[in-house]
Amino acid sequence: MLLDLLKKRSSVRNFIDKDIPDEIINYILEAGRISPSGGNEQPWKFGVINNQELIRKISEIAYNQKWIRNANLLIVLCTYIVSDERGGRDIQKARFPELEHEIEKMDKELYSKLNQEEHQTKIVGTHMVLAALEHGIGSTWVSYFKVDQLSKLLGLPESYIPAEIIAFGYPNDEMKVTKKKSIDEIIFYNSEFTEETER
Ligand SMILES: Cc1cc2nc3c(=O)[nH]c(=O)nc-3n(C[C@H](O)[C@H](O)[C@H](O)COP(=O)(O)O)c2cc1C
């Protein structure tokens, strides 16, 4: 059952030194490939990083998160920037009509950087993490990194941006499930978002 798998997942940052077989890497990539996306645009490229020297450099770019060095595999989820030309700004104006004027005034470069289709790769990553877990492989998402430096390191063209890194490997110790909020704390029905719900 899917919920059983979901309940087993927790972030893993301590990995053993064991390569992930190619067929499992392909399984993980395939799980990402079939993700949904707005308009089925699939605005992504998946960087498969299995070179240890490159992994070390990426750990430095990720504000020196040293644990990343132990990962056997990084997948960098890259997404292209929905430029003004492709109607990206219009979508944002439609979503936030009260800010239409401000969105219109935003500097083009800043707008592009802030409006990458990052949210789309979150679904890809979720598929990948679960596909990996099915094969006993742990993972952790990494968003805390210098985007420009990683772009340069991977040789990405200007139209693409690295949105997420996911670090994969076989866990060194038993995975401990992280405590989550209870259902009561996070749901509300219909229009009943009360002050109590907010806390
Ligand atoms: C979008 C996203 C970005 C994250 N970035 C980092 C990161 O840069 N470094 C890190 O160690 N963990 C990172 N994490 C892992 C979170 O800290 C972790 O998911 C959270 O503490 C909940 O624990 P769990 O994954 O075990 O449920 C990230 C998680 C998500 C979903």
Side-chain angles (χ1 to χ4, degrees):
M1 297 290 274
L2 180 60
L3 198 56
D4 293 333
L5 187 66
L6 291 169
K7 285 192 171 176
K8 274 190 209 140
R9 190 212 57 82
S10 64
S11 291
V12 175
R13 298 182 183 81
N14 194 359
F15 305 104
I16 57 169
D17 185 13
K18 180 180 166 191
D19 285 341
I20 302 173
D22 285 347
E23 56 278 16
I24 297 181
I25 296 177
N26 291 339
Y27 185 88
I28 295 170
L29 295 169
E30 179 65 3
R33 184 184 72 81
I34 58 175
S35 301
S37 57
N40 198 27
E41 281 211 51
Q42 305 162 70
W44 45 62
K45 301 280 179 192
F46 309 153
V48 181
I49 317 295
N50 56 9
N51 174 300
Q52 282 307 317
E53 180 56 17
L54 212 48
I55 291 176
R56 189 190 58 76
K57 283 188 182 151
I58 292 175
S59 90
E60 282 169 15
I61 287 173
Y63 290 92
N64 220 9
Q65 298 186 61
K66 291 205 169 63
W67 63 268
I68 294 174
R69 290 183 199 178
N70 300 323
N72 301 87
L73 169 76
L74 303 182
I75 297 183
V76 180
L77 302 177
C78 306
T79 178
Y80 67 57
I81 296 164
V82 180
S83 61
D84 284 354
E85 293 74 28
R86 297 186 61 252
R89 199 182 294 230
D90 292 338
I91 293 172
Q92 291 306 81
K93 284 193 288 192
R95 294 183 68 220
F96 301 104
E98 68 286 3
L99 294 174
E100 184 176 351
H101 203 59
E102 281 76 4
I103 295 170
E104 188 61 47
K105 277 193 304 198
M106 269 174 98
D107 169 79
K108 196 168 177 156
E109 196 191 340
L110 176 66
Y111 169 78
S112 295
K113 294 225 153 134
L114 294 179
N115 282 281
Q116 55 175 301
E117 292 221 86
E118 216 183 323
H119 54 288
Q120 310 250 31
T121 55
K122 297 278 197 294
I123 307 170
V124 172
T126 303
H127 280 203
M128 289 182 170
V129 162
L130 293 175
L133 188 60
E134 255 194 310
H135 290 275
I137 294 163
S139 60
T140 288
W141 289 77
V142 179
S143 292
Y144 193 51
F145 60 88
K146 293 177 187 142
V147 172
D148 269 0
Q149 285 192 15
L150 186 56
S151 292
K152 286 199 184 88
L153 184 69
L154 302 180
L156 299 186
E158 283 211 341
S159 49
Y160 279 87
I161 199 163
E164 303 288 347
I165 304 166
I166 305 182
F168 295 93
Y170 290 96
N172 197 12
D173 29 43
E174 215 175 293
M175 286 167 67
K176 285 192 204 86
V177 173
T178 314
K179 196 171 182 307
K180 301 294 173 187
K181 291 180 180 175
S182 71
I183 281 284
D184 290 345
E185 286 173 280
I186 59 172
I187 58 160
F188 68 96
Y189 287 99
N190 303 318
S191 303
E192 293 161 8
F193 198 109
T194 59
E195 247 175 59
E196 208 170 291
T197 319
E198 202 173 341
R199 265 179 249 124

